[in-house]
Every structure is written in structure tokens, then in C-alpha cells.
Amino acid sequence: MKRITIKDLAEMLNISTSTVSRALKDHPDISSTVKQRVKEAAETFNYVPNDFAINFRKKIF
């Protein structure tokens, strides 16, 4: 089974990947309705953040 990505969630919800990322991080610029839609979709499709991407962003190799 394919692991779901932020890009997959964005395509399903017809929003940008950056909006999905910000919604998952509770960014104040994202409306509560969008946050709720994103979080519900992430839970429904068992979204798990990519550890490699997180470590790459933090520069932990």
C-alpha cells in the first residue's frame, strides 16, 4: 500500500501543499475550517509525516 503524502492530501482537497503543511502545524493564517478538513483527511488516510523530510529540514542526517 502506498504511503500518503502531503501532495496527495493537497490534490484530494484541491488546495496547495503549503496550505496542507501549515494546516497540520496549526498555522494562524489558515482558517479553522480548512485545518479541520485537512486534519480529518490526514486521519482518514493515515497520513504519517516523512521522517527523512523532517530530518532534512532540521539538517539532522
Side-chain angles (χ1 to χ4, degrees):
M1 185 169 161
K2 182 185 170 214
R3 190 169 163 172
I4 193 158
T5 65
I6 285 180
K7 186 175 179 179
D8 296 328
L9 286 174
E11 288 175 3
M12 284 184 238
L13 298 170
N14 201 27
I15 57 178
S16 72
T17 55
S18 59
T19 301
V20 172
S21 177
R22 289 179 183 135
L24 290 171
K25 294 176 186 172
D26 282 329
H27 195 280
D29 290 344
I30 306 300
S31 72
S32 59
T33 56
V34 172
K35 287 180 190 178
Q36 182 179 357
R37 283 180 49 218
V38 170
K39 290 178 181 181
E40 286 174 358
E43 186 176 327
T44 301
F45 294 103
N46 298 319
Y47 168 74
V48 178
N50 183 320
D51 290 333
F52 180 76
I54 291 169
N55 290 334
F56 186 76
R57 185 175 65 242
K58 293 179 180 179
K59 297 187 187 330
I60 301 171
F61 298 99

